Amino acid sequence: MNTTENRPASASGELPARVRTAIRAAALSQRELAHRIRMDPTALSKALRGTRRLRDEEIAAIAKACGVSLAYLVEGTGPAPVLPPESGRDRAQPVTAQERRDQILEAATVLIARRGYRNVRVSDIARYCGTSTATVHYHFPSKEATLHAALEYYAQRFRTRLDEEFGRASSARDKLRRLIEVQLPLAADDIDEWSVWIQFWNQAMLEPRLRPAQRRIYSGWYRVVVEVLHECRSEGLAPEADIEALADRFTAMVDGLAIQILANSTEMQPDRMRSLLLRAFEPHLELV
């Protein structure tokens, strides 16, 4: 992260506005935030007015308290905080039970994706929907249940997109190209989908009871890759290749490259990810 001394002037000037947005998204008052990060409220107020520079450790503490990334606060990059609709949801608006459940699921998926599972409270989901925590618990008995539902939602979304792409494919080789394309974290929805998947993966490492769902959904994705590779073989491509070994290599590359992009741990970008994945099946099968 840039230090206070070498942070660009433009970034420093926009920092207070991003902090204010993060505070709103976290439903905190300035005084409450100051208390949480053990900062003098007057000093925080001056920083938000732009008359005092925030120190690096203060920015880090604000990011943690508000559930946003340092990259967002300092550089304005990465997922932005999730703000409820300006006018809020209308509590008096009549909706069916299914419509209310869909509203809650929509809120939960976006909040978990952009704020992080451990930083999202049931009250945050309720506030976003303009409903009560009791209503959220009625549809999703626990916060863990919302994580399950978010993963299922994105898994179904992915499958629907893939079926549409496969329906337009001209060959098995073309299916592989389209399979690669839908994996790239390009749009905000793609990044949200990857975020939820990675967070569920992480939680499954820590909580064994989550592993069956994680394994089931991942196995479904793996089978898609294997099936397309078998289609390639039926069309005379890669006759001597070990199909499962190719699928293992490809899926591992997809996961690893996407994590690099989302975590910003390397210089990996979607265009580079696409280029590498197009060569993932060589020398048995060429896509470029």
Side-chain angles (χ1 to χ4, degrees), residues 229-230 232-246 249 281-285:
L229 288 172
H230 276 297
C232 287
R233 174 168 289 177
S234 69
E235 293 181 7
L237 304 171
E240 304 299 327
D242 182 334
I243 296 296
E244 291 198 357
L246 283 182
R249 181 203 301 179
F281 304 103
E282 295 179 355
H284 307 285
L285 178 60

Side-chain angles (χ1 to χ4, degrees), residues 16 37 42 55 65 85 88 90 117 123 128 143 167 194 209 245 264 266:
I37 65 176
T42 301
R55 296 192 295 270
D90 185 356
Y117 173 66
S123 59
Y128 187 93
K143 193 175 79 168
W194 268 110
R209 65 181 178 276
N264 198 27
T266 69

